[in-house]
Amino acid sequence: MALRTMAIGSIRFDETLPLYGWQEDVDLAGQLLVKGRVVSADTFQGVHRGVSKGRTPGTKLGYAQVINPVYLVKKGTMCWKKAYILILKNIIANHTRFFLAEPFIDRRGRAKGNWIGLWHILNGKLDPQEINRIK
């Protein structure tokens, strides 16, 4: 992602999305849409240097997979349809691969985090910072 500081002004990544900040790029784009068009260009290329062992433990990532999209909907930077599809896809992937998980993905932890996130939403606790209290 490349941005000109003159174009973004005071818009910044949301520090409420801790750790890996899952979906923070979508949030930033949503904030920028208020200022005008967001475009993509094929003339640039980048490399995502992901590693097989993620930066965020499975349970915490699973939590973020549920909480962050709902938080962004409430914030107004993601639409409900996109959030619903994103959450559902992650929950299905984590639960269908629960018993036959890839060796480099903590599906059990992610599924557990999904359930914690759903429980928090049902109980009116919609704070991405809660991820810091998960063990």
PDB file of all heavy atoms in Angstrom, residues 2-30:
ATOM      1  N   ALA A   2       0.669   2.097  -0.944  1.00  0.00           N
ATOM      2  CA  ALA A   2       1.449   3.335  -1.017  1.00  0.00           C
ATOM      3  C   ALA A   2       0.485   4.514  -0.952  1.00  0.00           C
ATOM      4  O   ALA A   2      -0.519   4.541  -1.672  1.00  0.00           O
ATOM      5  CB  ALA A   2       2.243   3.385  -2.324  1.00  0.00           C
ATOM      6  N   LEU A   3       0.785   5.471  -0.095  1.00  0.00           N
ATOM      7  CA  LEU A   3      -0.083   6.621   0.096  1.00  0.00           C
ATOM      8  C   LEU A   3       0.754   7.889   0.125  1.00  0.00           C
ATOM      9  O   LEU A   3       1.867   7.892   0.633  1.00  0.00           O
ATOM     10  CB  LEU A   3      -0.844   6.505   1.420  1.00  0.00           C
ATOM     11  CG  LEU A   3      -1.662   5.235   1.613  1.00  0.00           C
ATOM     12  CD1 LEU A   3      -2.027   5.067   3.070  1.00  0.00           C
ATOM     13  CD2 LEU A   3      -2.902   5.276   0.761  1.00  0.00           C
ATOM     14  N   ARG A   4       0.176   8.952  -0.403  1.00  0.00           N
ATOM     15  CA  ARG A   4       0.828  10.255  -0.305  1.00  0.00           C
ATOM     16  C   ARG A   4       0.292  10.953   0.937  1.00  0.00           C
ATOM     17  O   ARG A   4      -0.912  11.051   1.124  1.00  0.00           O
ATOM     18  CB  ARG A   4       0.528  11.096  -1.529  1.00  0.00           C
ATOM     19  CG  ARG A   4       1.159  10.581  -2.806  1.00  0.00           C
ATOM     20  CD  ARG A   4       0.847  11.472  -3.977  1.00  0.00           C
ATOM     21  NE  ARG A   4      -0.541  11.901  -3.856  1.00  0.00           N
ATOM     22  CZ  ARG A   4      -1.069  12.907  -4.527  1.00  0.00           C
ATOM     23  NH1 ARG A   4      -0.347  13.591  -5.365  1.00  0.00           N
ATOM     24  NH2 ARG A   4      -2.323  13.236  -4.389  1.00  0.00           N
ATOM     25  N   THR A   5       1.177  11.438   1.778  1.00  0.00           N
ATOM     26  CA  THR A   5       0.725  12.083   3.013  1.00  0.00           C
ATOM     27  C   THR A   5      -0.123  13.317   2.715  1.00  0.00           C
ATOM     28  O   THR A   5      -1.029  13.635   3.470  1.00  0.00           O
ATOM     29  CB  THR A   5       1.913  12.460   3.921  1.00  0.00           C
ATOM     30  OG1 THR A   5       2.839  13.244   3.193  1.00  0.00           O
ATOM     31  CG2 THR A   5       2.575  11.230   4.477  1.00  0.00           C
ATOM     32  N   MET A   6       0.150  14.007   1.613  1.00  0.00           N
ATOM     33  CA  MET A   6      -0.653  15.170   1.245  1.00  0.00           C
ATOM     34  C   MET A   6      -2.096  14.741   0.968  1.00  0.00           C
ATOM     35  O   MET A   6      -3.040  15.443   1.309  1.00  0.00           O
ATOM     36  CB  MET A   6      -0.087  15.867   0.007  1.00  0.00           C
ATOM     37  CG  MET A   6      -0.842  17.147  -0.343  1.00  0.00           C
ATOM     38  SD  MET A   6      -0.366  17.892  -1.917  1.00  0.00           S
ATOM     39  CE  MET A   6       1.391  17.935  -1.820  1.00  0.00           C
ATOM     40  N   ALA A   7      -2.258  13.565   0.391  1.00  0.00           N
ATOM     41  CA  ALA A   7      -3.601  13.083   0.044  1.00  0.00           C
ATOM     42  C   ALA A   7      -4.369  12.570   1.261  1.00  0.00           C
ATOM     43  O   ALA A   7      -5.577  12.749   1.354  1.00  0.00           O
ATOM     44  CB  ALA A   7      -3.503  11.981  -1.003  1.00  0.00           C
ATOM     45  N   ILE A   8      -3.679  11.950   2.215  1.00  0.00           N
ATOM     46  CA  ILE A   8      -4.406  11.365   3.340  1.00  0.00           C
ATOM     47  C   ILE A   8      -4.594  12.328   4.513  1.00  0.00           C
ATOM     48  O   ILE A   8      -5.442  12.111   5.362  1.00  0.00           O
ATOM     49  CB  ILE A   8      -3.756  10.050   3.846  1.00  0.00           C
ATOM     50  CG1 ILE A   8      -2.365  10.285   4.423  1.00  0.00           C
ATOM     51  CG2 ILE A   8      -3.736   9.014   2.762  1.00  0.00           C
ATOM     52  CD1 ILE A   8      -1.792   9.085   5.126  1.00  0.00           C
ATOM     53  N   GLY A   9      -3.810  13.389   4.557  1.00  0.00           N
ATOM     54  CA  GLY A   9      -3.963  14.375   5.626  1.00  0.00           C
ATOM     55  C   GLY A   9      -3.784  13.758   6.999  1.00  0.00           C
ATOM     56  O   GLY A   9      -2.801  13.085   7.269  1.00  0.00           O
ATOM     57  N   SER A  10      -4.801  13.897   7.849  1.00  0.00           N
ATOM     58  CA  SER A  10      -4.698  13.404   9.227  1.00  0.00           C
ATOM     59  C   SER A  10      -5.217  11.968   9.388  1.00  0.00           C
ATOM     60  O   SER A  10      -5.211  11.438  10.500  1.00  0.00           O
ATOM     61  CB  SER A  10      -5.484  14.326  10.160  1.00  0.00           C
ATOM     62  OG  SER A  10      -6.855  14.302   9.799  1.00  0.00           O
ATOM     63  N   ILE A  11      -5.646  11.343   8.309  1.00  0.00           N
ATOM     64  CA  ILE A  11      -6.152   9.970   8.392  1.00  0.00           C
ATOM     65  C   ILE A  11      -5.006   9.021   8.711  1.00  0.00           C
ATOM     66  O   ILE A  11      -3.944   9.087   8.118  1.00  0.00           O
ATOM     67  CB  ILE A  11      -6.856   9.563   7.079  1.00  0.00           C
ATOM     68  CG1 ILE A  11      -8.116  10.407   6.880  1.00  0.00           C
ATOM     69  CG2 ILE A  11      -7.196   8.081   7.079  1.00  0.00           C
ATOM     70  CD1 ILE A  11      -8.806  10.186   5.559  1.00  0.00           C
ATOM     71  N   ARG A  12      -5.243   8.138   9.665  1.00  0.00           N
ATOM     72  CA  ARG A  12      -4.223   7.180  10.088  1.00  0.00           C
ATOM     73  C   ARG A  12      -4.861   5.826  10.339  1.00  0.00           C
ATOM     74  O   ARG A  12      -6.076   5.695  10.437  1.00  0.00           O
ATOM     75  CB  ARG A  12      -3.540   7.644  11.386  1.00  0.00           C
ATOM     76  CG  ARG A  12      -2.776   8.948  11.250  1.00  0.00           C
ATOM     77  CD  ARG A  12      -1.542   8.796  10.367  1.00  0.00           C
ATOM     78  NE  ARG A  12      -0.802  10.019  10.226  1.00  0.00           N
ATOM     79  CZ  ARG A  12      -0.904  10.870   9.205  1.00  0.00           C
ATOM     80  NH1 ARG A  12      -1.749  10.639   8.237  1.00  0.00           N
ATOM     81  NH2 ARG A  12      -0.160  11.953   9.153  1.00  0.00           N
ATOM     82  N   PHE A  13      -4.023   4.804  10.477  1.00  0.00           N
ATOM     83  CA  PHE A  13      -4.517   3.488  10.852  1.00  0.00           C
ATOM     84  C   PHE A  13      -5.148   3.588  12.231  1.00  0.00           C
ATOM     85  O   PHE A  13      -4.676   4.329  13.081  1.00  0.00           O
ATOM     86  CB  PHE A  13      -3.380   2.458  10.869  1.00  0.00           C
ATOM     87  CG  PHE A  13      -2.939   2.028   9.501  1.00  0.00           C
ATOM     88  CD1 PHE A  13      -1.729   2.458   8.988  1.00  0.00           C
ATOM     89  CD2 PHE A  13      -3.735   1.197   8.729  1.00  0.00           C
ATOM     90  CE1 PHE A  13      -1.314   2.057   7.723  1.00  0.00           C
ATOM     91  CE2 PHE A  13      -3.337   0.792   7.470  1.00  0.00           C
ATOM     92  CZ  PHE A  13      -2.121   1.223   6.965  1.00  0.00           C
ATOM     93  N   ASP A  14      -6.203   2.836  12.446  1.00  0.00           N
ATOM     94  CA  ASP A  14      -6.944   2.855  13.702  1.00  0.00           C
ATOM     95  C   ASP A  14      -6.173   2.057  14.762  1.00  0.00           C
ATOM     96  O   ASP A  14      -6.039   0.845  14.661  1.00  0.00           O
ATOM     97  CB  ASP A  14      -8.327   2.235  13.483  1.00  0.00           C
ATOM     98  CG  ASP A  14      -9.236   2.352  14.685  1.00  0.00           C
ATOM     99  OD1 ASP A  14      -8.737   2.624  15.802  1.00  0.00           O
ATOM    100  OD2 ASP A  14     -10.456   2.170  14.520  1.00  0.00           O
ATOM    101  N   GLU A  15      -5.685   2.739  15.769  1.00  0.00           N
ATOM    102  CA  GLU A  15      -4.907   2.099  16.830  1.00  0.00           C
ATOM    103  C   GLU A  15      -5.774   1.234  17.742  1.00  0.00           C
ATOM    104  O   GLU A  15      -5.261   0.517  18.591  1.00  0.00           O
ATOM    105  CB  GLU A  15      -4.162   3.148  17.656  1.00  0.00           C
ATOM    106  CG  GLU A  15      -3.099   3.901  16.877  1.00  0.00           C
ATOM    107  CD  GLU A  15      -1.953   3.012  16.411  1.00  0.00           C
ATOM    108  OE1 GLU A  15      -1.590   2.057  17.123  1.00  0.00           O
ATOM    109  OE2 GLU A  15      -1.421   3.265  15.320  1.00  0.00           O
ATOM    110  N   THR A  16      -7.093   1.298  17.572  1.00  0.00           N
ATOM    111  CA  THR A  16      -7.993   0.444  18.343  1.00  0.00           C
ATOM    112  C   THR A  16      -7.867  -1.008  17.896  1.00  0.00           C
ATOM    113  O   THR A  16      -8.233  -1.917  18.629  1.00  0.00           O
ATOM    114  CB  THR A  16      -9.456   0.920  18.174  1.00  0.00           C
ATOM    115  OG1 THR A  16      -9.517   2.298  18.501  1.00  0.00           O
ATOM    116  CG2 THR A  16     -10.405   0.154  19.074  1.00  0.00           C
ATOM    117  N   LEU A  17      -7.370  -1.228  16.680  1.00  0.00           N
ATOM    118  CA  LEU A  17      -7.179  -2.583  16.158  1.00  0.00           C
ATOM    119  C   LEU A  17      -5.760  -3.026  16.509  1.00  0.00           C
ATOM    120  O   LEU A  17      -4.821  -2.744  15.784  1.00  0.00           O
ATOM    121  CB  LEU A  17      -7.390  -2.603  14.632  1.00  0.00           C
ATOM    122  CG  LEU A  17      -8.755  -2.112  14.157  1.00  0.00           C
ATOM    123  CD1 LEU A  17      -8.777  -2.016  12.638  1.00  0.00           C
ATOM    124  CD2 LEU A  17      -9.857  -3.012  14.656  1.00  0.00           C
ATOM    125  N   PRO A  18      -5.594  -3.701  17.654  1.00  0.00           N
ATOM    126  CA  PRO A  18      -4.250  -4.023  18.141  1.00  0.00           C
ATOM    127  C   PRO A  18      -3.618  -5.215  17.434  1.00  0.00           C
ATOM    128  O   PRO A  18      -4.246  -5.878  16.610  1.00  0.00           O
ATOM    129  CB  PRO A  18      -4.487  -4.338  19.611  1.00  0.00           C
ATOM    130  CG  PRO A  18      -5.864  -4.881  19.653  1.00  0.00           C
ATOM    131  CD  PRO A  18      -6.630  -4.150  18.563  1.00  0.00           C
ATOM    132  N   LEU A  19      -2.379  -5.481  17.820  1.00  0.00           N
ATOM    133  CA  LEU A  19      -1.595  -6.609  17.321  1.00  0.00           C
ATOM    134  C   LEU A  19      -1.508  -6.555  15.810  1.00  0.00           C
ATOM    135  O   LEU A  19      -1.053  -5.579  15.247  1.00  0.00           O
ATOM    136  CB  LEU A  19      -2.163  -7.937  17.820  1.00  0.00           C
ATOM    137  CG  LEU A  19      -2.249  -8.074  19.340  1.00  0.00           C
ATOM    138  CD1 LEU A  19      -2.936  -9.369  19.721  1.00  0.00           C
ATOM    139  CD2 LEU A  19      -0.881  -7.989  19.972  1.00  0.00           C
ATOM    140  N   TYR A  20      -1.965  -7.598  15.156  1.00  0.00           N
ATOM    141  CA  TYR A  20      -1.860  -7.685  13.704  1.00  0.00           C
ATOM    142  C   TYR A  20      -2.740  -6.648  13.004  1.00  0.00           C
ATOM    143  O   TYR A  20      -2.506  -6.302  11.868  1.00  0.00           O
ATOM    144  CB  TYR A  20      -2.226  -9.111  13.274  1.00  0.00           C
ATOM    145  CG  TYR A  20      -2.050  -9.389  11.814  1.00  0.00           C
ATOM    146  CD1 TYR A  20      -0.802  -9.304  11.223  1.00  0.00           C
ATOM    147  CD2 TYR A  20      -3.131  -9.744  11.034  1.00  0.00           C
ATOM    148  CE1 TYR A  20      -0.633  -9.571   9.870  1.00  0.00           C
ATOM    149  CE2 TYR A  20      -2.972 -10.020   9.692  1.00  0.00           C
ATOM    150  CZ  TYR A  20      -1.722  -9.932   9.115  1.00  0.00           C
ATOM    151  OH  TYR A  20      -1.569 -10.186   7.788  1.00  0.00           O
ATOM    152  N   GLY A  21      -3.757  -6.134  13.695  1.00  0.00           N
ATOM    153  CA  GLY A  21      -4.627  -5.122  13.100  1.00  0.00           C
ATOM    154  C   GLY A  21      -5.405  -5.663  11.918  1.00  0.00           C
ATOM    155  O   GLY A  21      -5.528  -5.004  10.895  1.00  0.00           O
ATOM    156  N   TRP A  22      -5.956  -6.855  12.054  1.00  0.00           N
ATOM    157  CA  TRP A  22      -6.629  -7.530  10.955  1.00  0.00           C
ATOM    158  C   TRP A  22      -7.723  -6.648  10.365  1.00  0.00           C
ATOM    159  O   TRP A  22      -8.562  -6.131  11.077  1.00  0.00           O
ATOM    160  CB  TRP A  22      -7.203  -8.863  11.459  1.00  0.00           C
ATOM    161  CG  TRP A  22      -7.556  -9.808  10.373  1.00  0.00           C
ATOM    162  CD1 TRP A  22      -6.702 -10.505   9.583  1.00  0.00           C
ATOM    163  CD2 TRP A  22      -8.855 -10.166   9.956  1.00  0.00           C
ATOM    164  NE1 TRP A  22      -7.393 -11.270   8.688  1.00  0.00           N
ATOM    165  CE2 TRP A  22      -8.730 -11.090   8.904  1.00  0.00           C
ATOM    166  CE3 TRP A  22     -10.124  -9.793  10.374  1.00  0.00           C
ATOM    167  CZ2 TRP A  22      -9.809 -11.637   8.258  1.00  0.00           C
ATOM    168  CZ3 TRP A  22     -11.200 -10.340   9.738  1.00  0.00           C
ATOM    169  CH2 TRP A  22     -11.040 -11.257   8.691  1.00  0.00           C
ATOM    170  N   GLN A  23      -7.665  -6.412   9.066  1.00  0.00           N
ATOM    171  CA  GLN A  23      -8.589  -5.583   8.279  1.00  0.00           C
ATOM    172  C   GLN A  23      -8.311  -4.086   8.425  1.00  0.00           C
ATOM    173  O   GLN A  23      -9.130  -3.264   8.023  1.00  0.00           O
ATOM    174  CB  GLN A  23     -10.053  -5.889   8.625  1.00  0.00           C
ATOM    175  CG  GLN A  23     -10.485  -7.292   8.270  1.00  0.00           C
ATOM    176  CD  GLN A  23     -10.421  -7.560   6.781  1.00  0.00           C
ATOM    177  OE1 GLN A  23     -10.990  -6.820   5.979  1.00  0.00           O
ATOM    178  NE2 GLN A  23      -9.721  -8.616   6.387  1.00  0.00           N
ATOM    179  N   GLU A  24      -7.157  -3.717   8.950  1.00  0.00           N
ATOM    180  CA  GLU A  24      -6.852  -2.295   9.090  1.00  0.00           C
ATOM    181  C   GLU A  24      -6.690  -1.611   7.737  1.00  0.00           C
ATOM    182  O   GLU A  24      -6.974  -0.424   7.604  1.00  0.00           O
ATOM    183  CB  GLU A  24      -5.619  -2.080   9.955  1.00  0.00           C
ATOM    184  CG  GLU A  24      -4.320  -2.562   9.318  1.00  0.00           C
ATOM    185  CD  GLU A  24      -3.112  -2.407  10.234  1.00  0.00           C
ATOM    186  OE1 GLU A  24      -3.241  -1.850  11.328  1.00  0.00           O
ATOM    187  OE2 GLU A  24      -2.040  -2.860   9.823  1.00  0.00           O
ATOM    188  N   ASP A  25      -6.283  -2.363   6.715  1.00  0.00           N
ATOM    189  CA  ASP A  25      -6.161  -1.783   5.386  1.00  0.00           C
ATOM    190  C   ASP A  25      -7.533  -1.425   4.817  1.00  0.00           C
ATOM    191  O   ASP A  25      -7.703  -0.390   4.176  1.00  0.00           O
ATOM    192  CB  ASP A  25      -5.402  -2.721   4.443  1.00  0.00           C
ATOM    193  CG  ASP A  25      -5.981  -4.122   4.380  1.00  0.00           C
ATOM    194  OD1 ASP A  25      -6.737  -4.519   5.301  1.00  0.00           O
ATOM    195  OD2 ASP A  25      -5.681  -4.848   3.421  1.00  0.00           O
ATOM    196  N   VAL A  26      -8.522  -2.268   5.081  1.00  0.00           N
ATOM    197  CA  VAL A  26      -9.895  -1.996   4.631  1.00  0.00           C
ATOM    198  C   VAL A  26     -10.437  -0.770   5.353  1.00  0.00           C
ATOM    199  O   VAL A  26     -11.095   0.079   4.753  1.00  0.00           O
ATOM    200  CB  VAL A  26     -10.801  -3.229   4.887  1.00  0.00           C
ATOM    201  CG1 VAL A  26     -12.252  -2.913   4.595  1.00  0.00           C
ATOM    202  CG2 VAL A  26     -10.324  -4.415   4.062  1.00  0.00           C
ATOM    203  N   ASP A  27     -10.149  -0.665   6.645  1.00  0.00           N
ATOM    204  CA  ASP A  27     -10.580   0.488   7.421  1.00  0.00           C
ATOM    205  C   ASP A  27      -9.963   1.773   6.880  1.00  0.00           C
ATOM    206  O   ASP A  27     -10.656   2.782   6.715  1.00  0.00           O
ATOM    207  CB  ASP A  27     -10.202   0.306   8.889  1.00  0.00           C
ATOM    208  CG  ASP A  27     -10.536   1.518   9.728  1.00  0.00           C
ATOM    209  OD1 ASP A  27     -11.697   1.968   9.695  1.00  0.00           O
ATOM    210  OD2 ASP A  27      -9.633   2.030  10.411  1.00  0.00           O
ATOM    211  N   LEU A  28      -8.675   1.742   6.589  1.00  0.00           N
ATOM    212  CA  LEU A  28      -8.005   2.932   6.059  1.00  0.00           C
ATOM    213  C   LEU A  28      -8.616   3.341   4.723  1.00  0.00           C
ATOM    214  O   LEU A  28      -8.888   4.517   4.490  1.00  0.00           O
ATOM    215  CB  LEU A  28      -6.500   2.694   5.909  1.00  0.00           C
ATOM    216  CG  LEU A  28      -5.684   3.930   5.559  1.00  0.00           C
ATOM    217  CD1 LEU A  28      -5.631   4.903   6.727  1.00  0.00           C
ATOM    218  CD2 LEU A  28      -4.281   3.546   5.144  1.00  0.00           C
ATOM    219  N   ALA A  29      -8.866   2.366   3.857  1.00  0.00           N
ATOM    220  CA  ALA A  29      -9.495   2.668   2.568  1.00  0.00           C
ATOM    221  C   ALA A  29     -10.884   3.259   2.773  1.00  0.00           C
ATOM    222  O   ALA A  29     -11.280   4.207   2.074  1.00  0.00           O
ATOM    223  CB  ALA A  29      -9.570   1.408   1.706  1.00  0.00           C
ATOM    224  N   GLY A  30     -11.635   2.730   3.740  1.00  0.00           N
ATOM    225  CA  GLY A  30     -12.963   3.268   4.038  1.00  0.00           C
ATOM    226  C   GLY A  30     -12.903   4.708   4.513  1.00  0.00           C
ATOM    227  O   GLY A  30     -13.758   5.527   4.168  1.00  0.00           O
TER     228      GLY A  30
END
